[in-house]
Amino acid sequence: MHEVSHRHRMLVLAICCMSLLIVSLDNTVLNVALPEMRRELHASVAGLQWTIDAYTLGMASLLMLAGSTADRIGRRKVFLAGLVTFTAGSLLCSLAPTLGWLITFRVVQAVGAAMLNPVAMSIITNTFTEPAQRARAIGVWGAVAGVSMAAGPLIGGLLVDSIGWRSIFWVNLPIGLAALVLTVRHIPESRADRPRRPDPVGQLLIMAMLGSLTYAIIEAPSAGPTSPLILGCALTAVASLVGLLVYEPRREDPLIDLRFFRSAPFSGANVIAICTFAALSGFLFLNTLYLQEVRGLDALHAGLYMVPLAAPTLFFAPLSGRLVATRGPRLPLVVAGVAMGGSGLMFAVLSAETSTPLLLTGYVLFGVGFGMVNSPVTNTAVSGMPRSQAGVAAAIASTSRQTGGALGVAVIGAVLAAGLARGGDFSAAARPGWWIITVCGAAVLVLGLLTSGRWARETAARTAAELEPKASPAPAAGSRPV
């Protein structure tokens, strides 16, 4: 019986990792294709930013809705709907006739992706109920992100050079269909014992806040930071945030339970996720354009250059999971902050992009840091939270990741566009972006130290005790997790 249960857990993990692979792959694959898309679709830097941010922003806006909906109506139902929507969106992206249609179909992909990531993590959390097993499973989950980083540039470069950029979306089709079949056959239905009621006002406030903020950042270089449109977007973002802070605590079942953030580890994990993925998205955006537009590499060779970035992630992600299981999150977070910050500093101070040995060293450092950070962030975000709210807790962490990714491309892309508009060369225009990445790495280091000590653990214990009355009853001994 134990062996059957173990096989079942491993199969569930594999299916969830397949969904993560296609969701993550689309960012790294697309980055390699940006220069060819820019030429064929006559896109500006802002247009390229929107092809990425339409996806990450759409995910960030809908993740918490998807997580709470899955807890309420059934995780398997939402997961299946996500696979169908994402696969269909990928097919539509490959057929997009213009940049506008491509951005629209990227939003369709984002709707499907929003139903996959938090729901998959909720399924894993409810399947791997023992903390050490869960940490190892999340380590495997993080390693899949490394696989997507490694495979994305290589697969994307090969497809772009041989067939064209549209073919990068075809990769999702067989994986999505296989995951769909396996989910129907092997993942049982599960839901929260106490479903949370819908919160349409909270959902609209989140969408207004993230959408207006991202639009203001991306369009500010061309429209002007003091233009009425940009100022109006900024005011909308601020008003939406205030509305969330005032409205959500008044609801019995809020979309965002602000009590979660009384836990210092949970709050720290989410801020670290924002900083990490802002740094990652900016790092990939700058390097892809540099390698192809400045060094003149084709897409395949640009992808090969990024292998030293992806390979350490593949190795260190499962190692990080084991370290979290045995020693806690502090050491992986410290290593991640030092490595990511050091990588950004190499480009900001030493102009590492102008020297191939320094460039590759910077890639390796960033890959080490990114590999180490995912497991402690994800594990901290879901550990200690009631299993009845696992979907919401995982969705908040996933939202933080996608928000960071959207803001990273928006901010660093805007800084780059402003520098190029002033007539500077690429390296000079990109330098402020590298400093932003350096600051993000330093923030990971500082927050990792502050939110993993004794005081932080005490706040987590108090928060767990406060949330416990809404937790689902513990399963009977020997029962199979769902």
Side-chain angles (χ1 to χ4, degrees):
M1 178 66 70
H2 175 76
E3 183 62 29
V4 171
S5 178
H6 175 73
R7 286 200 300 268
H8 168 74
R9 288 196 299 269
M10 291 302 103
L11 184 58
V12 169
L13 178 61
I15 296 169
C16 292
C17 286
M18 289 171 69
S19 72
L20 173 66
L21 179 63
I22 55 176
V23 169
S24 301
L25 198 63
D26 255 45
N27 279 328
T28 53
V29 167
L30 188 66
N31 269 278
V32 176
L34 288 177
E36 181 173 319
M37 291 167 56
R38 182 178 187 179
R39 290 187 292 271
E40 181 177 327
L41 300 176
H42 309 291
S44 63
V45 172
L48 296 180
Q49 288 173 270
W50 278 118
T51 62
I52 297 174
D53 274 358
Y55 181 69
T56 55
L57 183 62
M59 282 185 65
S61 300
L62 297 172
L63 281 165
M64 279 179 282
L65 174 64
S68 60
T69 301
D71 283 346
R72 184 171 61 254
I73 70 172
R75 298 175 182 121
R76 181 175 179 267
K77 289 187 183 71
V78 173
F79 193 72
L80 286 170
L83 286 170
V84 171
T85 305
F86 184 86
T87 305
S90 300
L91 179 61
L92 290 172
C93 284
S94 71
L95 303 174
T98 64
L99 180 67
W101 279 111
L102 176 61
I103 293 172
T104 300
F105 295 147
R106 288 283 282 169
V107 174
V108 176
Q109 274 191 309
V111 173
M115 290 187 274
L116 294 178
N117 265 14
V119 180
M121 181 52 62
S122 181
I123 291 170
I124 290 174
T125 301
N126 282 270
T127 300
F128 294 85
T129 55
E130 201 274 321
Q133 288 183 346
R134 182 190 301 134
R136 293 188 184 95
I138 292 173
V140 174
W141 176 268
V144 172
V147 171
S148 71
M149 288 182 65
L154 291 174
I155 294 174
L158 181 62
L159 290 174
V160 168
D161 277 354
S162 60
I163 303 176
W165 66 264
R166 296 176 187 277
S167 63
I168 64 176
F169 295 105
W170 299 344
V171 177
N172 300 326
L173 304 183
I175 300 176
L177 291 174
L180 185 66
V181 172
L182 291 172
T183 300
V184 170
R185 295 185 60 183
H186 298 291
I187 291 187
E189 186 59 278
S190 66
R191 56 178 58 86
D193 291 331
R194 183 186 179 278
R196 300 167 66 81
R197 289 179 293 183
D199 181 8
V201 174
Q203 180 62 48
L204 289 174
L205 287 171
I206 289 174
M207 294 174 70
M209 179 182 68
L210 295 178
S212 57
L213 177 61
T214 304
Y215 186 90
I217 294 171
I218 290 178
E219 299 298 333
S222 58
T226 59
S227 69
L229 177 62
I230 301 304
L231 291 177
C233 287
L235 289 174
T236 300
V238 172
S240 300
L241 175 60
V242 172
L244 277 172
L245 296 177
V246 172
Y247 176 77
E248 290 297 282
R250 298 173 183 270
R251 282 187 56 86
E252 181 180 352
D253 285 329
L255 183 65
I256 305 176
D257 194 333
L258 298 180
R259 293 178 301 169
F260 284 1
F261 293 94
R262 296 175 187 174
S263 164
F266 181 86
S267 297
N270 281 278
V271 178
I272 288 170
I274 292 173
C275 293
T276 297
F277 279 78
L280 173 66
S281 62
F283 196 98
L284 293 174
F285 191 81
L286 289 177
N287 273 290
T288 299
L289 291 178
Y290 173 79
L291 290 173
Q292 296 188 55
E293 304 250 329
V294 179
R295 288 207 173 189
L297 300 178
D298 58 33
L300 177 58
H301 285 89
L304 288 171
Y305 258 79
M306 290 189 182
V307 170
L309 168 64
T313 300
L314 182 61
F315 175 78
F316 281 95
L319 173 62
S320 177
R322 290 193 291 271
L323 286 173
V324 172
T326 57
R327 301 187 58 178
R330 172 167 285 195
L331 179 59
L333 289 175
V334 168
V335 173
V338 171
M340 291 170 60
S343 175
L345 201 61
M346 289 183 65
F347 288 90
V349 175
L350 302 177
S351 298
E353 70 273 15
T354 61
S355 166
T356 298
L358 286 178
L359 178 78
L360 298 180
T361 302
Y363 285 3
V364 170
L365 274 178
F366 196 92
V368 170
F370 186 72
M372 292 296 283
V373 78
N374 261 315
S375 182
V377 165
T378 304
N379 194 66
T380 301
V382 299
S383 296
M385 296 298 168
R387 288 176 60 192
S388 62
Q389 298 186 36
V392 178
I396 293 174
S398 295
T399 299
S400 296
R401 287 185 173 87
Q402 299 306 323
T403 300
L407 291 178
V409 171
V411 172
I412 293 175
V415 168
L416 176 66
L420 293 174
R422 290 193 295 267
D425 63 19
F426 188 94
S427 294
R431 188 158 292 112
W434 291 118
W435 278 113
I436 293 171
I437 292 170
T438 303
V439 170
C440 288
V444 171
L445 171 61
V446 172
L447 289 169
L449 289 171
L450 290 177
T451 62
S452 58
R454 179 178 177 181
W455 164 79
R457 291 193 295 271
E458 290 174 352
T459 67
R462 287 196 298 269
T463 302
E466 183 179 352
L467 295 170
E468 187 60 31
K470 290 189 176 183
S472 59
S479 64
R480 177 173 168 178
V482 294

